[in-house]
Amino acid sequence: MLTEKNQYSYLRKELLTRFFTFLFESKNPLEINKIPYEMIPSGGDPRRCCIYKDREMIKYRLLSLMGYDLSESFDESPSLYEFFNRCGKDRAPALPPLSVITAACSSCRSKQYRVTELCRGCLARPCQTICPADAISMKSGKALIDGEKCINCGKCRESCPYSAIVYIPVPCEEVCPVGAIIKKEGHAIEIDRDKCISCGRCTRSCPFGAIVEKSHIVPLVAAIKQKKDMTLMIAPSLYDQLPGADSQILAALKAAGFSRVYELQEAAEIVAEEEGKELLERMENGQSFMTTSCCPAYVETVKKHIPELASHVSDTPSPMMAGARILREKYPGTTIVFAGPCLAKKVEAYEKGGVDLVLNFEELGTLLIAKSVEILDYPAAEEVTSFALGRGFARSGGVGKAVKASLEEDIHCSQIDGLSVKTIRLMKTWIKKAPEGRLVEVMACEGGCSRGPCSLNS
Amino acid sequence: MEKIIVEICTGTACFVMGSGKLLSIEESLPANIRDYVEVQPVLCCGLCRDWTNSKPPVVSVAGKMIAGADEEKIIKAVMAALEGGNLC
Ligand code: FES
């Protein structure tokens, strides 16, 4: 993925802030048409061919923030104002959560190895000798790779003493663990819906920002403005994303328009305990292992790519779903909003119901900016870390640890820290040969939720 | 010798827009200037409200304000301040 320090990440947050400000403050809905011009003022440096295209891309991003799907072709001629009038304002947009801005996609060349001008056409020619596909020939004193023959093994690159051979990836394709990027030479990419697990990595890897997610902020602001009873559930990975002590963060979030803020670590501990009981039961019934189920991108992976593993996935609901159940009982009419660093939670919330809206941390952070909520202005209470095990859910290893702690006997627990082509291949073998560990914690994001694609400061 | 003070705003807007990651900038300063720099977190000064003229994150280096600050801009400003004072 791109490092977090990049200009696209700034642009995303700036656009969110401006859109939130428009939603909350603007008396004149026509003002939405101005946002692209404010973001890309005249006379600035264009990022693409010209500022006019830059502005158009801002328009598309706004459409995605309104919940429109951009992958299908649609009539692009209406103004932002007209699109805004028409967009859904009382509920989360339908799945899938991701779409591609075709015009923003740079239609990268298919991944390839290429010989650069650094090649000195040496005597030893290790590249030519080592190539198993006989794809390298010499032309005007330099090595040349025949794309037709090349099998992308990379051996030539490793062998070159001058580092003259480079690998040029297609960034989104490179990070997708399930091969869901359809790449045709000369065309914008498409996402294969049947394969996509909504892990969100591609959205943070594309240097052109061409893959966007549908946001729930329009219905969120509408509900806040209607003064509905709103409950915000926050994932335990939030605390190190914002400045200030936990008590300050909680007070600030409430001030942004929520009736109450519920920290999910409590629900996480209930889940851990349930999962522990479930594990013992399954072992008694002769099952050799069980995997966790709190990571929705992993659950999707099983559904779409390793269905034979389904009977081994825990049936215990995730902390988000467990928390929503508790809250629904206590406050029946409330609008439940989940905030986390995860894109796949949108899929889980939509499919399972119970959670009305899902925000990511970028959206939550920029909501605070737009509402001018100063976190550090709130009093800092003395820190008492409660539910430490539940908080641990944010990092890889934490779920397994919490489940283990709930059990009396010592149970061997292993983990998959990050989904990749390799780890998925490994998981496919588990049906024949049970994995090490009775309990396997699986996290789609390496490092766990706190390193999720939509985090602010991981 | 007096140190160059780098004040980094940790108000909500600046933090969310990237100052959270600038707080550890000392680590990425070139070794020869690291010792001359002192990083201090400060509270919101209100400048972040004006996105046209002073984009967050707002950082000040030896009293000079930098809007839309990033590592590169800060290091440049530190260098300029050092040269101005004939320190190196
Ligand atoms: S948050 Fe930094 S100036 Fe306001």
Side-chain angles (χ1 to χ4, degrees), chain A residues 374, chain B residues 9-15 42-49 56-58:
Chain A
E374 225 8 87
Chain B
C9 175
T10 52
T12 306
C14 290
F15 198 94
V42 294
L43 295 178
C44 172
C45 62
L47 280 169
C48 58
R49 305 278 143 77
V58 177

Side-chain angles (χ1 to χ4, degrees), chain B residues 2-25:
Chain B
E2 277 199 17
K3 288 202 171 187
I4 308 269
I5 308 285
V6 176
E7 292 178 314
I8 297 184
C9 175
T10 52
T12 306
C14 290
F15 198 94
V16 169
M17 295 310 290
S19 81
K21 267 169 264 156
L22 293 175
L23 286 168
S24 56
I25 187 157

Side-chain angles (χ1 to χ4, degrees), chain A residues 78-144:
Chain A
S79 67
L80 273 170
Y81 164 73
E82 288 166 273
F83 275 115
F84 180 62
N85 267 350
R86 276 201 248 140
C87 78
K89 299 193 181 57
D90 56 355
R91 74 188 55 178
L95 298 179
L98 291 179
S99 60
V100 182
I101 306 179
T102 309
C105 175
S106 149
S107 304
C108 305
R109 297 280 308 272
S110 299
K111 69 173 177 191
Q112 57 184 289
Y113 284 87
R114 202 187 285 171
V115 182
T116 65
E117 86 277 357
L118 297 175
C119 171
R120 301 174 62 94
C122 63
L123 168 78
R125 296 181 185 172
C127 57
Q128 208 176 22
T129 320
I130 209 162
C131 176
D134 199 16
I136 299 186
S137 57
M138 298 305 287
K139 207 176 166 203
S140 353
K142 287 194 195 312
L144 184 74

Side-chain angles (χ1 to χ4, degrees), chain A residues 38 54 58 69 71 80 129 155 169 232 267 282 302 314 325-326 379 382 391 417-418 423:
Chain A
E38 287 161 358
D54 283 342
I58 297 286
D69 200 305
S71 298
L80 273 170
T129 320
K155 290 202 170 120
L232 177 68
R282 282 174 180 251
V302 170
S314 160
R325 210 169 284 170
I326 296 172
E382 213 178 295
R391 279 182 182 235
D417 184 15
T423 50

